[in-house]
Amino acid sequence: MATGAPRVDLPTIEDENRPFWDAARQGRFLIARCASCGRAHHYPRPFCPFCWSEDVSWEDASGQATLYTYSTVFVNDLHPFAERIPYVAALVDLVEGPRVMTNIIDADPADLHIGMPLTVAYRELTDEITAPVFRPADPAAGG
């Protein structure tokens, strides 16, 4: 695939989700918590998906998660995914509650298993955009 091909992995950054992407650039994973019902949610949005309150605020997440499900992708012609294959697309459950779509890095897909502990890592997509991804937790680090 030509390097000049349009990228399909870049998020749309808007005022409502900019704090999330700014924090990711700094190596922090933010989630939103509703002051009305107390529940945490992710993906970034200005209202609670559970009670529809707009009384939400950002908080730092621990970055710890468990693997809910995953799929190893062997074919993807879209740029830049073609250069990453095989890669692991996954859903992970943050310890704070929200389920997040992500990629798993630094792991042989054969070594992954549902329920395994993960920790957040960061992939620089451009000079301005960094995306959270996950890797197996280091048992020696307590995560």
Side-chain angles (χ1 to χ4, degrees):
M1 167 94 26
T3 57
R7 292 189 64 166
V8 297
D9 66 331
L10 300 179
T12 300
I13 299 177
E14 302 170 321
D15 290 342
E16 292 82 11
N17 64 20
R18 187 170 307 283
F20 173 82
W21 295 107
D22 289 347
R25 186 80 184 118
Q26 299 166 6
R28 296 171 37 233
F29 191 98
L30 293 184
I31 56 173
R33 185 166 304 274
C34 177
S36 294
C37 72
R39 294 179 72 180
H41 64 271
H42 184 80
Y43 67 89
R45 58 198 137 186
F47 61 89
C48 176
F50 305 107
C51 73
W52 301 100
S53 170
E54 293 181 8
D55 191 7
V56 297
S57 59
W58 295 103
E59 68 179 51
D60 283 292
S62 67
Q64 303 304 304
T66 57
L67 184 57
Y68 176 76
T69 192
Y70 67 98
S71 179
T72 303
V73 179
F74 293 98
V75 177
N76 188 336
D77 293 335
L78 298 173
H79 177 67
F81 297 106
E83 293 82 23
R84 296 180 188 159
I85 55 175
Y87 65 89
V88 177
L91 288 173
V92 303
D93 289 331
L94 301 177
V95 297
E96 292 82 6
R99 184 167 289 156
V100 176
M101 184 178 289
T102 189
N103 291 136
I104 306 297
I105 63 168
D106 300 337
D108 183 327
D111 295 334
L112 298 176
H113 61 274
I114 303 304
M116 74 182 299
L118 304 168
T119 190
V120 72
Y122 296 91
R123 171 182 283 151
E124 187 174 285
L125 301 178
T126 70
D127 289 341
E128 295 82 30
I129 302 172
T130 300
V133 293
F134 284 78
R135 64 169 39 113
D138 178 6

